[in-house]
Amino acid sequence: RRNSRVPGRVQEAHRAWVAQARPDMEQLWDAMHSPCWVVLLTNDEGTIVHSLGQQELAPRELRLPLHCGRRLLESELGTNAPALVLNERQALEVRGEEHYLEELRRFNCVAAPVRRPDGSLAGVIDVTGFDAPLDRTYLRPGLPRSALNRESSF
């Protein structure tokens, strides 16, 4: 049974950081603007601290595993972009068939590290789509602050 207080505690603990990251997340979401996509922010332990997307319109398969408080570690979910970025410390993508778990093979993800001013890893910003082709056109010049164009500093 999932503790319903966990998302609230996670959000509260990261409120200031989420406020700083929100403009980048909103730019990404505005570029995607589809119920098949969600923008996620994790902390340096791989726990989702904030997400943007049309949750009520999103496919069930996208809503369930990508909620605040969920850990996106490779040891728990197999290969996924946020987990790999936590390990590799660089932006990368994981396409459907590259996911280790069969259940995740309909997901496409692009993720990038988010760094603190001192250069240490603060977390990961991720764009995940369900049954949606990975199209990097959302990385157009109109998104210069996007963490997926460059590593952000928070």
Side-chain angles (χ1 to χ4, degrees):
R1 184 175 158 188
R2 194 167 69 102
N3 183 342
S4 61
R5 294 184 215 163
V6 170
R9 285 192 307 231
V10 169
Q11 289 173 330
E12 184 61 30
H14 296 88
R15 185 172 25 151
W17 185 48
V18 168
Q20 288 179 307
R22 186 180 272 285
D24 284 342
M25 295 180 73
E26 288 176 352
Q27 279 188 311
L28 285 168
W29 170 244
D30 287 344
M32 305 304 290
H33 204 69
S34 164
C36 293
W37 291 93
V38 64
V39 179
L40 304 171
L41 181 68
T42 77
N43 63 15
D44 61 352
E45 296 175 350
T47 301
I48 298 173
V49 298
H50 189 64
S51 67
L52 284 178
Q54 294 177 316
Q55 308 297 3
E56 67 283 355
L57 299 177
R60 182 175 187 269
E61 294 86 351
L62 186 59
R63 286 191 319 258
L64 291 180
L66 303 178
H67 57 81
C68 188
R70 172 74 158 136
R71 291 178 54 146
L72 301 177
L73 301 179
E74 198 165 10
S75 61
E76 295 179 19
L77 293 175
T79 303
N80 67 82
L84 291 176
V85 169
L86 286 171
N87 291 327
E88 301 294 325
R89 309 284 205 251
Q90 64 183 4
L92 53 83
E93 62 187 52
V94 175
R95 295 180 180 269
E97 67 280 352
E98 295 171 339
H99 288 96
Y100 177 75
L101 294 178
E102 181 81 27
E103 299 85 357
L104 298 180
R105 294 199 177 147
R106 293 173 66 187
F107 288 85
N108 286 308
C109 313
V110 179
V114 180
R115 300 195 182 277
R116 295 181 183 95
D118 67 4
S120 65
L121 186 70
V124 173
I125 192 165
D126 170 82
V127 178
T128 293
F130 179 78
D131 275 348
L134 189 55
D135 180 2
R136 297 180 66 91
T137 59
Y138 57 84
L139 298 179
R140 65 187 190 278
L143 299 175
R145 292 186 31 146
S146 166
L148 296 180
N149 278 342
R150 63 168 178 76
E151 293 179 1
S152 293
S153 295
F154 295 110

